[in-house]
Amino acid sequence: GEDVAELQLHGSVAVVRAVLAALSLFPDCRPAEPGEFARRAFSNGKIDLTQAEGLADLIDAETEGQRRQALRQAQGALSSLYESWRQSVIEAAGLVEASIDFSDEADVAMDAFTQGRSIVQALERQIRRHLADGHRGEILRSGFQVVLAGPPNVGKSSLLNALARRDAAIVSEEAGTTRDVIEVRLDLGGLPVVVSDTAGIRETDAAVEREGIRRSLARAGDADLVIWLTDIHAPEPNLPLELRDMADRTLLVVNKSDLAPDAGQPVLPDDMVAVSVKTGAGLDVLTGRLAAIAEDRISPGDAPALTQDRHRRLLEQVAEDL
């Protein structure tokens, strides 16, 4: 939206530094601030706020799914949808105002008010459907939150390290080693998955461990999926009372399958996954299940998704006003 001169340089540090030094000799010439070109494009009406937010998300995208969603938004997918809704509101307002102010005019339809009401009712239904997306866009933007929970010493930290393929968490035979929440970010099939290791849940008198357990339960309550991990010696899924409401968002996993009697695989219910973090057995099945669950929940669809809490709050207000 402004006159711009663009310089194409060889990319060496010395060349860039020399050109910047020369430009600094001109009055009113300075380096651009971070994001300044996007801000000026927004200020000059070249892009709207949703497109600017899409550009920011595109810069921060870590997975293919995040990149596709951000690119669609930066290219104006949300803008086009919201503009079509705006045009519907204008059309409805025109019909209603005409029916009130010019009801005796021959060129105003007798059912103008009814037409306006029909447009508003249809638009409200569209916006309600748009809002009822299970927060798909926001979760894709920030990451599908998975919490590893379970009793102490069942291998939660070891499983986190196996999924991350690095030593992200301290592993010890001593129960209660994990006192705080540790996160790793994974890319599963192009979708961002954030896995959190939490303190083992048990009765304890140690104040620090009790605080860790409190944080574990709080993080699990906010998670998109809880992996409740037990071991082969006690495979029954004894969910604590605080997590009973999360049963429909819980994946049951039993670790240490290599210690099963006769070195065979344990016989488990269909909804449980058996793994051995020590040998790696079953980890591919577990990551496959995680990817499938995340894709079912947040895989980008054909319609543009809400990506910001700001969008959601404003559209909820719009629906209420309609």
Side-chain angles (χ1 to χ4, degrees):
E2 302 173 12
D3 292 333
V4 173
E6 182 172 355
L7 305 181
Q8 301 284 346
L9 311 179
H10 292 290
S12 78
V13 174
V15 171
V16 172
R17 184 185 298 122
V19 172
L20 290 177
L23 291 175
S24 67
L25 300 177
F26 288 84
D28 301 322
C29 192
R30 61 169 177 79
E33 298 292 335
E36 185 167 358
F37 283 95
R39 180 181 63 78
R40 291 191 181 200
F42 169 71
S43 299
N44 292 317
K46 297 298 182 181
I47 60 175
D48 65 14
L49 189 53
T50 63
Q51 290 173 291
E53 289 168 331
L55 283 173
D57 289 347
L58 189 59
I59 292 169
D60 293 335
E62 297 177 337
T63 70
E64 178 63 15
Q66 289 176 320
R67 184 194 68 80
R68 288 198 304 268
Q69 175 172 275
L71 186 60
R72 290 185 68 188
Q73 184 171 333
Q75 291 175 335
L78 277 180
S79 303
S80 299
L81 178 63
Y82 297 160
E83 179 60 27
S84 71
W85 290 349
R86 176 176 175 271
Q87 292 300 324
S88 295
V89 171
I90 293 173
E91 181 183 2
L95 288 166
V96 171
E97 289 171 16
S99 70
I100 294 172
D101 293 337
F102 306 106
S103 58
D104 54 346
E105 298 290 338
D107 57 349
V108 175
M110 295 291 293
D111 62 345
F113 183 85
T114 302
Q115 290 181 44
R117 169 172 283 189
S118 297
I119 291 172
V120 167
Q121 290 172 335
L123 181 57
E124 183 195 358
R125 287 193 295 270
Q126 289 182 45
I127 293 176
R128 297 285 187 194
R129 285 196 299 270
H130 190 62
L131 287 166
D133 64 349
H135 297 262
R136 174 169 55 89
E138 292 108 311
I139 294 173
L140 178 56
R141 179 173 177 265
S142 60
F144 187 75
Q145 300 291 327
V146 177
V147 168
L148 298 177
N153 268 16
V154 294
K156 296 185 296 299
S157 297
S158 297
L159 179 57
L160 181 81
N161 291 342
L163 292 173
R165 298 184 180 182
R166 61 184 175 87
D167 290 335
I170 297 173
V171 176
S172 171
E173 294 181 0
E174 180 183 349
T177 303
T178 303
R179 301 293 177 87
D180 208 345
V181 178
I182 301 172
E183 288 185 351
V184 297
R185 301 184 70 87
L186 307 177
D187 181 344
L188 297 182
L191 301 176
V193 176
V194 181
V195 182
S196 302
D197 180 26
T198 62
I201 297 174
R202 64 172 179 173
E203 295 293 332
T204 179
D205 294 327
V208 175
E209 192 175 355
R210 282 204 309 271
E211 174 62 19
I213 293 171
R214 185 194 66 78
R215 295 186 184 188
S216 299
L217 292 171
R219 181 64 67 93
D222 295 333
D224 300 306
L225 179 71
V226 173
I227 292 181
W228 183 257
L229 189 66
T230 59
D231 64 30
I232 197 62
H233 304 298
E236 294 80 9
N238 296 318
L239 288 176
L241 183 62
E242 296 88 345
L243 296 182
R244 298 288 168 80
D245 293 339
M246 294 283 296
D248 60 335
R249 285 184 285 160
T250 299
L251 177 61
L252 306 175
V253 179
V254 58
N255 188 25
K256 305 180 183 178
S257 62
D258 55 301
L259 300 180
D262 301 324
Q265 287 297 315
V267 178
L268 300 171
D270 293 337
D271 59 348
M272 292 190 78
V273 178
V275 301
S276 171
V277 174
K278 182 178 180 180
T279 66
L283 290 179
D284 54 341
V285 176
L286 176 58
T287 54
R289 286 283 294 274
L290 278 178
I293 293 171
E295 182 175 11
D296 181 63
R297 179 75 186 277
I298 64 174
S299 180
D302 295 332
L306 288 162
T307 60
Q308 304 268 352
D309 182 62
R310 180 181 70 83
H311 304 171
R312 187 171 296 279
R313 286 186 286 105
L314 289 172
L315 285 176
E316 286 171 347
Q317 186 61 57
V318 168
E320 185 64 28
D321 291 342
L322 289 173

